[in-house]
Amino acid sequence: MNFKRPTPTLHDVALKAGVSTATVSRCVNFPDRVNTRTREKVMNAINDLDYSPNFGAKAMAARRTNTIGAIIPTMENAIFARGLQAFQEALRLHGYTMLVASTSYRPEIEEEQIRALVGRGADALLLIGHDRDPEIYKFLERQGVPALVVWAYDPTETRPSVGFNNRAAMTEMAAEVLRLGHRNIALISANTEQNDRARARLVGIQDAMADAGQDPADLQVIETAYGIENGAIAFEQIMTAGRRPTAVFCGNDVLAVGALRSARELGIAVPDDVSIIGFDDIELAQVADPPLTTVHVPHRAMGQRAALALIGLLQNGEPLHAIEVFAKPVFRGTLAAAKTAQ
Amino acid sequence: MNFKRPTPTLHDVALKAGVSTATVSRCVNFPDRVNTRTREKVMNAINDLDYSPNFGAKAMAARRTNTIGAIIPTMENAIFARGLQAFQEALRLHGYTMLVASTSYRPEIEEEQIRALVGRGADALLLIGHDRDPEIYKFLERQGVPALVVWAYDPTETRPSVGFNNRAAMTEMAAEVLRLGHRNIALISANTEQNDRARARLVGIQDAMADAGQDPADLQVIETAYGIENGAIAFEQIMTAGRRPTAVFCGNDVLAVGALRSARELGIAVPDDVSIIGFDDIELAQVADPPLTTVHVPHRAMGQRAALALIGLLQNGEPLHAIEVFAKPVFRGTLAAAKTAQ
DNA sequence: TGATAAAATGTAAAGGCTTGCATTTTGTAA
DNA sequence: TTACAAAATGCAAGCCTTTACATTTTATCA
């Protein structure tokens, strides 16, 4: 039953329209470079035959695919999902398609995926964060595939990026927490070794502590993987260990929501007994009870601006450069002043 | 500075290894069809040159791209993000890459995206739900691109799909709600005209009502777009209009969470004054306060099974067929018995 | 009207890979 | 050894489009 008649080619269209393949090609790609009457004939032929150009041939001949690859840790994290959604919407408006791959936060998979997308002819790549083996950057350079880093803006990095200053944003939040009298502070963080964003947030808190005359080493840090459950477990560990903090920072909202749940289970009042602070401001944050104090990140804006930057480069050769967006603390119900007497 | 030396080709590798391009090609694609010693020579050459095959050329010559397109309404909805994540992980294990596009729930954009992905050489397509212009199915058939529908299993549909019976699942939930004495019921739904899942859920409730001897027409329905905010607005409309329901179904958890928030704002106690029921069981559901009674959908399982089905078709010609997975009610804090006296 | 410039179109050469078929090499059994 | 089958390899024809460059047509102006 598979009478898959061969798809019509440029040649078929040319034959039907009585012109050369070159003219058909121009009709499709540069309509204003061909005579109106000819164009009409050709367009009719294209419609009649239901022609659509062969991607592979086009890619090969044009040495470009109009495809941009995005490699993220996981789509299950709303922040990436949202950013990608905006990224893709913007790409679409300019005729580009997005290729997505995810790494489950594993560097070796990321490397594999980068090679895979480059192999697939991605014209450019979107990557999360700066941290990765320098070999990979060299590889991309050799292959001539530009890469744009997002979710991080680090003034000390030379690589182009679209993002916010994780460190400064966290410092701003932490300064306020300290101002509220908290001196005994903990952080539930993602792995800081392979994740520059997590590291920057950690250091951001320490910056604020130093500014407030506290020893940064006093920050109690526990690292765990992404997930509500993990946040809950980490929180329990912290609260059942010796010195109970009065404020618990979390590397992201998902961990914070886990902490919140754990607090409820342990009968620890939030924010009366302990303040909980998240990061990202995803929907979860507003829905949590009490609503989560967190740092609002403009995920959609980042995705969109990243798309525009890449398109500018690919279409007009505008060089990439660092673009900073801003993340701001939002104060909601989970943060209160530290009790004066312990 | 752009000394982009041309990427090495099969030919370069062949030269270096002292074999023909055909042998190199076979080394890459069918390693066991070439002599071990030859293979070693070739592999060394490949490594030395840092060769990776040209995608366009490969696609053209092989008439296949090892790429599967997925078209979803939006990545911002956790259910799709999660399903896609699983889908992509499974594809990756079999050497396929995923191409994603989103439609913002707009049929005309969906059509455009389908054409775009087919034009890009997708070997197969993943689509959400059955509803769409028959012309599109014809187009896909003409192009010889198989499509698999997910998120819906409808025994009356002939098209292959991987999904659950939205109608039956909702009936099961509604039966329980009715058993608890609720007689005055409302539904906040997504647009039912263009969305077969939403429609099935609506009918599912009506089925249960009919079973319980109630007039299905008594179901109060309000349609709105996806989003927490929209859920809140719809809920307020329902509760401030004349006849207050004692149970409000929501087409998905996001709407339900909005309803929950609105209830809190309006000072309506959940579940004492009104029960709220969601659908999907995303993280939000567990975090909500009280935790949301909802229908659990195995999103990841669907994504994964869809991937396997498509791979089976593409690699071994195993025909697609309907695969049913099951969605089950989960009872949490937002559902209680109707007050006996009104 | 003729000369010349500009616009439109055509020609044909890549571009890098796969694969059917032909040829050579290797292995096996008598 | 020889004969033959099987395995390995090579040859070369596509696959379909883009794009210099060449050629033809059309437009313009003196």
Side-chain angles (χ1 to χ4, degrees), chain B residues 254-265:
Chain B
V254 169
L255 292 173
V257 164
L260 215 46
R261 193 191 80 193
S262 174
R264 190 184 311 156
E265 288 164 5

Side-chain angles (χ1 to χ4, degrees), chain B residues 18-20 35 44 49 106 112 124 149 151 162 170-171 189 200 203 212 228 238 240 249 259 262-264 285 322 336:
Chain B
V19 300
S20 72
N35 185 293
N44 284 338
L49 295 174
R106 290 173 37 201
E112 177 192 322
V149 162
W151 257 259
V162 175
M170 194 55 130
T171 300
S189 173
V203 176
I228 292 188
I238 288 176
T240 53
F249 284 85
S262 174
R264 190 184 311 156

Side-chain angles (χ1 to χ4, degrees), chain A residues 114-149:
Chain A
I114 288 176
R115 288 180 188 279
L117 294 194
V118 169
R120 256 157 208 295
D123 293 337
L125 245 42
L126 187 81
L127 302 173
I128 306 290
H130 288 282
D131 266 18
R132 65 187 45 84
D133 188 340
E135 274 306 315
I136 299 183
Y137 287 120
K138 279 193 209 145
F139 167 77
L140 288 171
E141 210 159 304
R142 271 203 309 276
Q143 302 280 328
V145 177
L148 178 61
V149 162

Side-chain angles (χ1 to χ4, degrees), chain B:
Chain B
M1 290 301 283
N2 197 355
F3 291 150
K4 188 172 163 181
R5 115 190 61 129
T7 336
T9 70
L10 250 206
H11 184 247
D12 300 328
V13 176
L15 230 54
K16 174 145 197 163
V19 300
S20 72
T21 59
T23 300
V24 178
S25 173
R26 278 186 286 256
C27 263
V28 173
N29 298 302
F30 315 95
D32 42 318
R33 234 172 273 176
V34 356
N35 185 293
T36 314
R37 282 165 39 76
T38 314
R39 189 167 58 221
E40 253 167 39
K41 274 192 308 186
V42 171
M43 287 307 179
N44 284 338
I46 287 179
N47 286 330
D48 287 359
L49 295 174
D50 210 358
Y51 165 79
S52 78
N54 176 296
F55 179 67
K58 188 166 180 151
M60 188 161 68
R63 288 104 162 290
R64 124 181 71 72
T65 59
N66 286 338
T67 295
I68 293 181
I71 300 176
I72 58 169
T74 168
M75 273 174 278
E76 292 194 42
N77 187 330
I79 65 170
F80 298 125
R82 182 160 303 180
L84 273 201
Q85 177 70 30
F87 184 68
Q88 194 236 318
E89 284 168 11
L91 290 186
R92 170 176 165 270
L93 292 179
H94 295 263
Y96 281 81
T97 305
M98 176 178 75
L99 221 41
V100 193
S102 65
T103 68
S104 307
Y105 287 98
R106 290 173 37 201
E108 73 278 14
I109 297 191
E110 189 191 45
E111 178 165 350
E112 177 192 322
Q113 299 281 33
I114 288 175
R115 288 181 187 278
L117 292 194
V118 169
R120 274 199 147 43
D123 294 337
L125 245 41
L126 186 81
L127 302 172
I128 306 291
H130 288 282
D131 266 15
R132 64 185 47 85
D133 187 341
E135 273 307 314
I136 299 183
Y137 288 119
K138 278 193 209 145
F139 167 77
L140 287 171
E141 210 159 304
R142 270 203 310 275
Q143 301 280 328
V145 177
L148 177 61
V149 162
V150 283
W151 257 259
Y153 172 87
D154 179 344
T156 69
E157 281 278 354
T158 57
R159 198 165 297 285
S161 68
V162 175
F164 55 96
N165 189 324
N166 281 277
R167 182 170 174 176
M170 194 55 130
T171 300
E172 189 178 346
M173 173 60 92
E176 176 62 16
V177 171
L178 289 162
R179 210 188 53 71
L180 287 171
H182 294 279
R183 286 296 172 272
N184 196 347
I185 297 176
L187 166 66
I188 301 175
S189 173
N191 180 316
T192 55
E193 189 145 346
Q194 301 171 334
N195 183 325
D196 51 341
R197 287 93 64 210
R199 210 161 49 235
R201 293 175 195 177
L202 161 61
V203 176
I205 299 177
Q206 293 179 324
D207 285 351
M209 291 171 76
D211 285 351
Q214 245 199 298
D215 182 356
D218 283 351
L219 179 66
Q220 201 185 139
V221 180
I222 183 166
E223 295 193 1
T224 185
Y226 178 78
I228 292 188
E229 191 58 34
N230 293 321
I233 295 170
F235 184 82
E236 185 172 347
Q237 281 175 23
I238 288 176
M239 300 310 280
T240 53
R243 194 182 57 139
R244 272 199 182 185
T246 62
V248 176
F249 284 85
C250 298
N252 58 57
D253 286 350
V254 169
L255 292 173
V257 164
L260 215 46
R261 193 191 80 193
S262 174
R264 190 184 311 156
E265 288 164 5
L266 295 169
I268 299 173
V270 177
D272 294 342
D273 296 337
V274 64
S275 289
I276 292 180
I277 300 101
F279 204 110
D280 283 342
D281 196 21
I282 58 177
E283 277 181 347
L284 225 47
Q286 300 184 49
V287 169
D289 176 51
L292 197 59
T293 288
T294 187
V295 178
H296 177 80
V297 175
H299 301 292
R300 291 189 55 92
M302 277 192 290
Q304 194 179 333
R305 300 189 67 169
L308 296 181
L310 248 14
I311 290 165
L313 167 68
L314 258 22
Q315 292 193 334
N316 313 320
E318 299 159 16
L320 295 176
H321 56 269
I323 298 177
E324 184 172 12
V325 297
F326 295 91
K328 282 279 165 201
V330 247
F331 299 101
R332 302 209 184 91
T334 59
L335 174 62
K339 286 186 187 154
T340 43
Q342 187 72 6

